[in-house]
Amino acid sequence: MKSTVKRLVSATAAAALSLGIAAGAQAASHSETFKIGVVTFLSGGAAESFGVPAWNGGKLLIDMLNKGELPAPYDQKGFGGLMIEAIEIDEAGGATKQVQEFRNLVQREKVDAVLGYVSSGDCLAVPPVAEELKAFLVLYDCGTPRVFEEGSYNYVFRTAAHAAMDNISLAKYMTSRGIKVGSFAGVNQDYAWGHDSWADFVASMGVLMPDAKATTSLFPKIFAGQYGTEISAVMREKPDLLHSSLWGGDLQAFMLQASARGIHKRMQIALAAGDHVIPQLGQKMPDGIILGARGMNGLAAHAKGGELVDLLWDRYKAEYGVFPVQAPFRMWQGLLGVKAAVEKAMKANGGKKPTAEQMAAAMKGLTWEAPSGTITMALGNGHQAIQPNAIGTTKWDEAAGEMTLVDVEYYDAECVNPPNGVKAVDWIKAGFPGAKCD
Amino acid sequence: MDLILVILVDGLIYGAWLFIVSVGLTLVFGVLGILNLAHGSLYAIGAYSTATAVGIYFAYGGDAFPLGSYAVMALAALLVAVVIAPLLERGLLRHFYHRDEVIGVLVTYGVFLILEDAIKLIWGVDPLFVYEPYDLLGMVEAGPLFYVAYDFLVIAVSAVAGFAVWYFLNRTRRGKVMLAVIHDREMSQTMGVNVDKVFLLAFGAGVFLAAFGGALTAPMISVSPGIGVNVIIVAFAVIIIGGLGSIEGAALGAVMVGISRAASVHLMPELELFIIYFVMAVVLIFRPEGIFVRTQTRKI
Amino acid sequence: MKALSDIRVASLLALALLIGGGLALPDWALFLMTIGLAKALVSLGIVVQMRAGLVSFGQGLFFCIGAYVAGLMANFAGLTDIFVLTGISVMACLAIGGIFGPLLANYRGIFFAMLSLSLSMILYGILSKMNSLGGTDGLNVAAPTFAGYAPEGRALSLSLYLYTSFIVVAIGAILRTGFDSQHGLVSLAVRSNELRVEYLGASVRRTNAINYVISAMLGGIGGVITGLAIGHVDPEYAYWTTSGEFVFVAILAGYLSIPAVFAASIILELVRSFSNLYFPNTWQMVLGVFLLVIILTLPNGLGSLFHRRREGGS
Amino acid sequence: MSTSASTGMPALETRGLMKSFGAVTAAHDITVSVPERAVWSLIGTNGAGKTTFVNMVTGYLHPDQGTILFQGQDITGLGPREVTRAGICRSFQIPQLCSELTVLENVLVALAIADPKPPSFFRKARESAAEDRAMEILKRFRIEEHRGRLMTELSAGVRKLLDIAMSMCGHPKVMLLDEPTSGVAAEEKFPIMDLVMEALAAENVTTLFVEHDMDIVTRYSDRVLAFYDGRIIADDAPDEVLNDPQVQRYVTGTAPAEASS
């Protein structure tokens, strides 16, 4: 008899306990602010190169927007007069966790929009949920082309170009600068980003430099940190060009170990997303490295200049002591895109806080100016941005004591991005039909 | 022929690194019976401390005697051990010696979670660099390739560290006492061995070796968040291959994994991700408890 | 017979409470409960093995297989019926568990833990490499249907939650019977003294293998539900930290009580979610401290709070 | 499990058993032939090879050389489980009990396993028939009042009895008792042996027991094997063996006080 009671008590107690905790933990507040959930890496390997600089830039810009410190057309305070209130969530922990946290942001915290996601796995996992919940979601950073090539969404937008652009531009740079490439090798991380980047680069080279031979392609584990064996293998191979889409600590470690062994003196190195390690590596980044910034970001944007770029560049540098690399630029273009969409929607609805539907309608096909150039929602039926790109070569400026980019080539958005409805890989293999380059 | 030489050299360099990051783990397991999941975090703390200490050294006139930075690295690792080992061992781990090994794994998993954020709170997320020691010794031409001389220094240091641990355990009185504790904790206690002291000493040595692994690695990487996580899994694999608790085993396991991995990168790069598990599976099929194992027959 | 009716009464009561509570819960909490309960099934698989003294650090293997089988069936064979998907995943886990179970049953303690961990890491590696299955980015999974019924929005969340509740209660009842069975008692004996069990004439290996297969199936069911609820599967399901969380919940709950496993799992989900919100920079630390406090204060787990092993009479 | 009636064949036979651990030879050409229903004792100092002999017969150790026959069948090389299933059970010098289970549950485990079918996932362990049988067994060994206790709460004597009671659940043909009274208070030794021997005799179990106490040896066994240095140095009726000068010299006379090995 005792055991019956115990069993009953324990089963019901456990159920009640969990239900009670779940029900009790609810919080919601409403006022006339625009609540935006920001999800980016605050811990783990992608924090220092992407998450934290992006959010540093984001905090700075939100603050400036709330004070109305930006020039026209962004001179309205906040988003159309609504003060911006941001809730930050750490992106570390995997896609499963992010789906749950996204639901919590929308259903529990009642945010008006979510801006986030660096990891392409998260960018694939979250959109269907946004669609299900009819929540306005802006992907600001991730690179995989699959999001809008495999799916179609009403409430989901990506304000940054996908990664195909990086490697197409890199290959174009070889031809336009007349760099002789008889053979090329690759060191890319062993996950979707690394494999996609290498595939795009090989395909682009196949079109632009059909005689160049792809030799060895190495895929070290992500966050491996030790590249001695890979460096030996590449040095033994002696290719003319070494392609890499490594990023963050991996790229820094690779450059340290590779340059110590003089690899850059024996072959040309091309880094698809390499700009963001310049502030940390400083002079340890050798001269003559060809690199991109996943858009006209960082040094390339600064070299071109402009009111918006100069303002944010100086404020960022003053605040954080380093210049902004690609990540804050993408955060800025995302936030400004949301601002443009919200204000467009408010114009249409008579100045009320817009609903998710209204924001989505406003953002579809939108064009706006960002520090990184003109952003156009051209792909994925108006949900996927294209943007101009830039590739340059590193050169240490002895007088100023800082790294600069020289021989920068700028590419129009429509020159290095496929037209609407065409998959990036197919477009490359077909020889870039309809590309508009000057 | 060149290829074989290159594979051997690359394999040894990587194996030496593997050994130095895993030997502390196997030592702690051997003596305390705790498989320390926080080992990777201690490695990271060692790397961060080294980065900070060597940075200070060069900022305050270390350029005059750059080789001194090697001493600074060792001292930084020692400092980590002196500060953290008593805190963790006395404050936490000793409550779990009588519990299941798996509880030990879980406790150190908790420590790992805490330390990862603690590192972030102390050093932030910006990477630190200390490449001076890496460049100091120049390059070495080996066959068709150039190597950084520092890589060979790592091999030498790793060999010395391994020998020192082995010598201490097998040839000194204190080390023999430690072996006795490994063999039979209760018996040693009844024979008047101060087991507490032995445990603290062993854990301290384990922390030092972890931190020292980090210190040696710091000059060739960007010291940034998350560097410790990935060390744990490889270190585990190495010591499982070698036999948990065996110093010789860790050495052999590290060299086996190192050379297999080098061979894979040079010959079949697509298998690199699996090579460590492959070696582990092969070894365990023939030696279910690793290459070197202290057999324990149960008294009935 | 009396004991059987005990379990029935307890099950019905738990089910009524879960259904009633579910109807009252807000959307986000409903989802959290679904995930918490589904993941608890995986931890329950560890508890089954813990009762015979083994702790698997690789249950992510089956969690991942269950989720991927469902995801692949949904994407490539167009199957969306949750009952069919659950059935197929369980069969897959049964088959794979049946292969590995007898092999792993030779290992004990830390070796068993680490070998099961490496099996799941190998699956992680394979899936990461399979670009046709989405590689590291994984696959999206379409929303499930329930015997022809295709709900959306809140109805979908609620259906999934109710399905999970039914499964959880059914499995809870079956396992309670199993824990009290001959096999269950022999498992406890194996935990205490393997040698004795062999010297009584029973096979420790067989016992462990059976438990492994049971836990494989539980892992598969947890994986199916999680995969369908999240709508996305990726290799992370097999990563060691995922398995680590399952062990955490199993240890937190202890091996004495089945409801404690569900409670522990939901508590972990809540702690994680709220620490993520309130301490975005130090949520791992919060989780770590929580874990240490639990292990220190409740050595036999949460289950020991309401289910003590009797001392002196039953 | 064999049900054959008395065949005249020895219940247990060993031929030339050898076992060494490194340089130490623990068993040297051990050849014995134990007839059915015999009650024999094994004596000798610590390290003389008695437990090694028990461990070899019951499959815990495998002999380097030699054969073990059970009712004429070769069982050399079988493990503890197969040996137990064949009909040879044993008890342990340190009782092997399930420390997290109660006394009753320990017996229930033994009964569940003794069932010819493997332990079922669906059959309740504590069903009333099984509990009744378990209580019967506890009563036979007079430990029924401890049924709800955990192992830590039991005296050494109760543990010894429970250990043997569990081994009896499988209805063995041959039983090997490894020091059934070691560690037990002096006044409990005879009552325990009485209970155990009575239970064994009731089921006609062929019994070998290792013992240091010569009073027990003379009282309960009809033949004694004296071990020294891995060999059998005497094999005869108790009185004869105890009067053997070699036994007096190496086993009983100058033997040091017993301590567990």
Side-chain angles (χ1 to χ4, degrees):
Chain A
M1 200 48 223
K2 239 194 231 165
S3 73
T4 319
V5 177
K6 255 188 227 156
R7 217 162 260 162
L8 284 175
V9 168
S10 65
T12 48
L17 176 68
S18 28
L19 284 169
I21 294 169
Q26 220 188 336
S29 70
H30 263 290
S31 57
E32 269 308 272
T33 58
F34 191 95
K35 231 173 156 186
I36 186 165
V38 179
V39 188
T40 192
F41 282 102
L42 301 175
S43 62
E48 57 104 348
S49 35
F50 296 124
V52 170
W55 184 223
N56 282 345
K59 277 187 291 200
L60 187 82
L61 180 60
I62 288 173
D63 195 44
M64 289 169 77
L65 285 175
N66 280 340
K67 289 182 185 149
E69 291 176 351
L70 253 62
Y74 301 118
D75 48 354
Q76 234 181 325
K77 279 192 177 185
F79 288 163
L82 300 168
M83 288 296 110
I84 307 163
E85 183 193 344
I87 298 177
E88 50 177 323
I89 295 282
D90 187 0
E91 195 181 334
T96 314
K97 194 190 116 187
Q98 289 319 316
V99 166
Q100 294 181 64
E101 292 311 326
F102 179 80
R103 282 178 181 273
N104 288 337
L105 277 175
V106 173
Q107 296 181 327
R108 188 171 72 205
E109 306 306 321
K110 315 274 189 219
V111 296
D112 299 298
V114 174
L115 177 76
Y117 306 110
V118 174
S119 145
S120 46
D122 297 336
C123 275
L124 289 169
V126 176
V129 187
E131 208 63 10
E132 185 200 321
L133 303 180
K134 302 191 185 350
F136 187 59
L137 166 63
V138 174
L139 310 172
Y140 87 95
D141 190 290
C142 55
T144 178
R146 287 174 61 197
V147 182
F148 294 100
E149 286 184 357
E150 290 177 9
S152 99
Y153 305 101
N154 294 317
Y155 296 90
V156 184
F157 296 85
R158 177 159 54 188
T159 52
H162 57 55
M165 176 179 91
D166 312 339
N167 294 291
I168 295 171
S169 309
L170 212 51
K172 280 187 182 277
Y173 191 82
M174 303 299 152
T175 44
S176 62
R177 304 296 313 176
I179 295 159
K180 273 180 61 75
V181 181
S183 63
F184 61 101
V187 174
N188 293 282
Q189 286 142 322
D190 196 5
Y191 79 112
W193 164 263
H195 285 277
D196 288 353
S197 296
W198 174 243
D200 289 346
F201 186 69
V202 172
S204 301
M205 290 296 279
V207 171
L208 296 168
M209 287 191 167
D211 295 333
K213 206 164 93 274
T215 58
T216 183
S217 60
L218 299 168
F219 293 99
K221 238 176 12 197
I222 186 168
F223 305 137
Q226 300 280 324
Y227 302 96
T229 316
E230 281 81 4
I231 292 166
S232 292
V234 171
M235 285 177 101
R236 223 167 38 79
E237 208 70 50
K238 301 192 194 79
D240 299 324
L241 174 71
L242 175 65
H243 167 271
S244 176
S245 63
L246 295 183
W247 50 264
D250 284 6
L251 180 55
Q252 291 154 0
F254 180 78
M255 287 313 296
L256 281 180
Q257 291 163 27
S259 62
R261 290 170 69 176
I263 204 169
H264 57 290
K265 292 176 189 146
R266 302 169 162 224
M267 61 192 76
Q268 178 64 52
I269 297 179
L271 306 173
D275 82 305
H276 65 282
V277 298
I278 290 177
Q280 291 96 19
L281 282 179
Q283 242 182 315
K284 276 282 143 183
M285 178 65 103
D287 278 1
I289 306 292
I290 296 169
L291 51 78
R294 303 206 52 229
M296 197 176 71
N297 300 326
L299 287 171
H302 190 232
K304 194 156 197 181
E307 193 187 6
L308 210 48
V309 182
D310 293 343
L311 175 65
L312 285 166
W313 180 280
D314 292 342
R315 288 289 286 267
Y316 189 98
K317 224 174 156 179
E319 182 80 25
Y320 301 109
V322 288
F323 69 81
V325 289
Q326 51 173 290
F329 273 83
R330 271 196 299 282
M331 177 59 81
W332 291 335
Q333 78 196 41
L335 278 170
L336 292 176
V338 175
K339 180 176 169 68
V342 170
E343 286 168 5
K344 186 179 161 196
M346 286 173 83
K347 214 173 266 172
N349 74 6
K352 294 197 297 286
K353 187 169 164 181
T355 63
E357 283 79 9
Q358 290 165 345
M359 284 188 281
M363 192 152 216
K364 197 168 171 176
L366 191 69
T367 298
W368 71 97
E369 289 302 319
S372 41
T374 307
I375 316 294
T376 310
M377 286 296 194
L379 305 185
N381 294 321
H383 288 256
Q384 163 68 53
I386 59 171
Q387 65 183 101
N389 199 7
I391 304 285
T393 305
T394 56
K395 175 139 186 65
W396 182 256
D397 180 343
E398 199 63 55
E402 60 185 25
M403 186 62 82
T404 56
L405 272 192
V406 297
D407 303 336
V408 183
E409 298 263 339
Y410 294 92
Y411 302 95
D412 283 350
E414 290 173 323
C415 176
V416 288
N417 282 288
N420 188 24
V422 182
K423 282 195 178 186
V425 185
D426 301 338
W427 187 63
I428 298 171
K429 286 189 176 144
F432 315 109
K436 287 181 205 146
C437 311
D438 348 276
Chain B
M1 198 53 222
D2 278 350
L3 181 59
I4 292 175
L5 186 74
V6 170
I7 288 176
L8 277 179
V9 173
D10 285 340
L12 268 183
I13 291 171
Y14 189 68
W17 178 78
L18 277 179
F19 177 71
I20 199 81
V21 301
S22 48
V23 62
L25 189 62
T26 207
L27 177 72
V28 168
F29 181 80
V31 180
L32 283 73
I34 282 190
L35 198 53
N36 184 10
L37 269 181
H39 191 77
S41 309
L42 299 169
Y43 162 91
I45 292 174
Y48 269 105
S49 307
T50 297
T52 308
V54 173
I56 292 170
Y57 180 75
F58 280 106
Y60 291 88
D63 288 329
F65 183 55
L67 283 175
S69 59
Y70 292 127
V72 175
M73 287 161 65
L75 282 176
L78 193 63
L79 186 72
V80 171
V82 168
V83 173
I84 294 186
L87 220 64
L88 272 184
E89 202 274 335
R90 288 291 89 192
L92 188 70
L93 295 182
R94 69 190 171 96
H95 300 292
F96 300 98
Y97 293 145
H98 59 284
R99 304 267 301 266
D100 204 74
E101 283 167 347
V102 177
I103 299 281
V105 175
L106 216 61
V107 167
T108 54
Y109 178 58
V111 174
F112 154 77
L113 289 174
I114 294 170
L115 287 182
E116 285 298 296
D117 275 350
I119 291 173
K120 227 169 56 176
L121 290 179
I122 298 171
W123 280 285
V125 296
D126 284 337
L128 303 179
F129 293 94
V130 270
Y131 36 74
E132 291 89 348
Y134 191 52
D135 291 345
L136 223 44
L137 302 175
M139 280 199 278
V140 177
E141 198 170 348
L145 307 177
F146 286 99
Y147 285 95
V148 181
Y150 186 84
D151 289 338
F152 297 100
L153 179 74
V154 171
I155 297 184
V157 169
S158 173
V160 169
F163 179 75
V165 174
W166 178 87
Y167 184 86
F168 169 75
L169 284 177
N170 293 285
R171 292 285 181 275
T172 65
R173 216 191 72 81
R174 208 177 261 261
K176 283 180 185 165
V177 168
M178 201 175 277
L179 277 183
V181 173
I182 296 174
H183 199 71
D184 193 333
R185 193 179 301 171
E186 277 151 43
M187 184 71 96
S188 319
Q189 226 150 5
T190 54
M191 283 168 63
V193 174
N194 186 342
V195 174
D196 281 359
K197 219 166 106 189
V198 170
F199 276 25
L200 183 56
L201 185 66
F203 189 71
V207 174
F208 172 74
L209 287 165
F212 191 52
L216 273 182
T217 315
M220 50 175 132
I221 60 165
S222 123
V223 180
S224 47
I227 55 169
V229 188
N230 303 287
V231 167
I232 304 169
I233 290 287
V234 286
F236 272 160
V238 165
I239 71 170
I240 284 184
I241 290 168
L244 289 178
S246 161
I247 308 293
E248 305 92 308
L252 192 59
V255 171
M256 279 169 71
V257 171
I259 289 178
S260 316
R261 178 176 172 276
S264 145
V265 169
H266 283 281
L267 303 171
M268 289 172 294
E270 55 285 351
L271 292 185
E272 195 244 305
L273 191 62
F274 304 106
I275 202 75
I276 196 162
Y277 301 112
F278 180 73
V279 174
M280 188 160 116
V282 169
V283 167
L284 290 179
I285 286 168
F286 296 104
R287 303 275 304 180
E289 304 209 309
I291 298 171
F292 291 91
V293 65
R294 286 187 308 277
T295 44
Q296 290 173 322
T297 36
R298 182 168 164 181
K299 275 168 256 167
I300 57 173
Chain C
M1 257 352 258
K2 184 177 79 77
L4 192 62
S5 61
D6 285 357
I7 294 169
R8 276 191 196 148
V9 172
S11 306
L12 285 175
L13 214 76
L15 190 63
L17 205 81
L18 280 172
I19 292 173
L23 294 173
L25 283 177
D27 287 338
W28 67 269
L30 198 64
F31 188 77
L32 186 144
M33 288 282 290
T34 307
I35 298 292
L37 291 174
K39 287 188 175 172
L41 290 174
V42 190
S43 298
L44 202 50
I46 296 173
V47 168
V48 168
Q49 301 184 59
M50 257 166 72
R51 288 178 76 87
L54 293 178
V55 178
S56 161
F57 255 82
Q59 277 321 95
L61 176 70
F62 298 104
F63 184 61
C64 186
I65 291 172
Y68 262 84
V69 167
L72 293 176
M73 285 291 149
N75 280 10
F76 297 115
L79 283 175
T80 55
D81 189 89
I82 196 164
F83 299 96
V84 176
L85 290 176
T86 309
I88 296 174
S89 294
V90 169
M91 295 314 286
C93 289
L94 179 71
I96 293 165
I99 295 169
F100 290 133
L103 292 175
L104 285 176
N106 288 326
Y107 295 92
R108 301 288 179 271
I110 212 82
F111 282 95
F112 177 80
M114 291 297 135
L115 277 179
S116 53
L117 181 145
S118 29
L119 281 182
S120 84
M121 285 303 285
I122 288 172
L123 179 68
Y124 171 80
I126 292 173
L127 289 175
S128 301
K129 286 245 173 205
M130 300 268 279
N131 289 327
S132 54
L133 301 186
T136 42
D137 287 343
L139 301 166
N140 283 345
V141 185
T145 56
F146 300 76
Y149 171 55
E152 276 180 36
R154 167 136 182 129
L156 175 61
S157 302
L158 199 60
S159 307
L160 261 172
Y161 171 78
L162 291 179
Y163 179 74
T164 312
S165 299
F166 274 107
I167 288 205
V168 155
V169 170
I171 286 180
I174 293 173
L175 282 186
R176 186 72 254 169
T177 317
F179 286 177
D180 293 337
S181 72
Q182 290 183 332
H183 171 83
L185 192 60
V186 172
S187 292
L188 283 180
V190 168
R191 175 193 174 85
S192 293
N193 195 336
E194 274 188 22
L195 184 73
R196 179 80 229 192
V197 171
E198 285 280 329
Y199 263 119
L200 288 169
S203 167
V204 171
R205 221 186 126 190
R206 181 179 174 278
T207 310
N208 289 341
I210 289 174
N211 288 336
Y212 187 85
V213 172
I214 293 172
S215 75
M217 293 193 287
L218 290 174
I221 299 173
V224 175
I225 296 175
T226 308
L228 292 174
I230 298 279
H232 181 83
V233 296
D234 60 36
E236 199 94 1
Y237 279 57
Y239 199 60
W240 70 273
T241 49
T242 309
S243 299
E245 275 178 23
F246 295 133
V247 177
F248 175 23
V249 168
I251 303 269
L252 172 57
Y255 69 93
L256 299 175
S257 160
I258 291 171
V261 181
F262 296 108
S265 178
I266 289 163
I267 289 171
L268 176 66
E269 291 296 323
L270 284 168
V271 169
R272 191 170 46 185
S273 178
F274 281 95
S275 61
N276 210 304
L277 180 67
Y278 296 122
F279 315 97
N281 281 301
T282 47
W283 62 276
Q284 292 195 82
M285 191 178 259
V286 173
L287 222 58
V289 170
F290 176 64
L291 186 133
L292 290 184
V293 168
I294 291 290
I295 298 177
L296 276 169
T297 52
L298 287 176
N300 286 320
L302 221 53
S304 58
L305 288 182
F306 28 73
H307 200 299
R308 283 166 57 85
R309 270 206 79 70
R310 62 236 144 245
E311 283 164 39
S314 59
Chain D
M1 289 293 105
S2 168
T3 52
S4 63
S6 180
T7 52
M9 202 178 270
L12 182 71
E13 205 181 340
T14 67
R15 291 179 190 157
L17 291 187
M18 305 269 273
K19 181 76 190 175
S20 49
F21 303 102
V24 184
T25 303
H28 207 283
D29 192 25
I30 304 286
T31 301
V32 296
S33 176
V34 190
E36 285 201 357
R37 298 186 198 181
V39 179
W40 288 14
S41 58
L42 281 54
I43 63 170
T45 53
N46 290 321
K50 310 175 302 283
T51 297
T52 300
F53 174 76
V54 172
N55 284 341
M56 282 193 289
V57 170
T58 55
Y60 187 71
L61 296 174
H62 296 308
D64 299 334
Q65 278 176 42
T67 36
I68 305 164
L69 301 172
F70 169 66
Q71 294 179 335
Q73 274 181 311
D74 190 349
I75 57 162
T76 323
L78 298 186
R81 178 162 44 88
E82 290 101 337
V83 171
T84 306
R85 286 262 161 214
I88 301 177
C89 287
R90 67 171 294 179
S91 76
F92 302 84
Q93 196 181 333
I94 306 159
Q96 296 293 319
L97 307 167
C98 300
S99 51
E100 290 169 59
L101 302 183
T102 62
V103 168
L104 182 68
E105 284 168 331
N106 267 283
V107 179
L108 284 169
V109 167
L111 285 172
I113 295 174
D115 218 319
K117 278 179 290 184
S120 161
F121 186 81
F122 297 102
R123 189 151 159 213
K124 263 182 75 73
R126 303 186 65 116
E127 64 188 16
S128 51
E131 272 198 37
D132 291 346
R133 274 179 62 209
M135 282 308 293
E136 233 171 78
I137 291 163
L138 291 179
K139 274 181 196 148
R140 192 194 303 166
F141 287 90
R142 309 236 172 103
I143 51 177
E144 71 273 19
E145 84 250 35
H146 304 289
R147 66 180 178 276
R149 299 220 167 109
L150 292 172
M151 300 308 106
T152 44
E153 305 162 312
L154 303 178
S155 69
V158 177
R159 284 189 219 186
K160 285 277 183 192
L161 283 171
L162 179 59
D163 187 46
I164 295 166
M166 287 169 76
S167 297
M168 290 290 291
C169 289
H171 300 291
K173 297 280 169 248
V174 173
M175 175 74 95
L176 291 94
L177 304 173
D178 195 356
E179 301 196 22
T181 64
S182 69
V184 171
E187 66 277 13
E188 282 185 50
K189 288 189 177 190
F190 282 98
I192 284 177
M193 282 309 280
D194 283 343
L195 277 169
V196 171
M197 287 303 160
E198 195 184 311
L200 288 165
E203 299 198 19
N204 298 323
V205 183
T206 308
T207 306
L208 296 178
F209 65 95
V210 177
E211 189 51 71
H212 286 286
D213 187 326
M214 291 309 143
D215 293 336
I216 290 177
V217 167
T218 43
R219 175 143 160 205
Y220 294 101
S221 58
D222 39 52
R223 199 179 176 94
V224 179
L225 302 179
F227 281 72
Y228 175 71
D229 199 18
R231 295 163 201 271
I232 295 176
I233 55 168
D235 170 5
D236 212 329
D239 290 344
E240 305 296 327
V241 170
L242 293 182
N243 288 327
D244 186 307
Q246 265 202 308
V247 171
Q248 283 178 343
R249 182 168 163 206
Y250 293 123
V251 183
T252 53
T254 53
E258 62 201 53
S260 66
S261 53

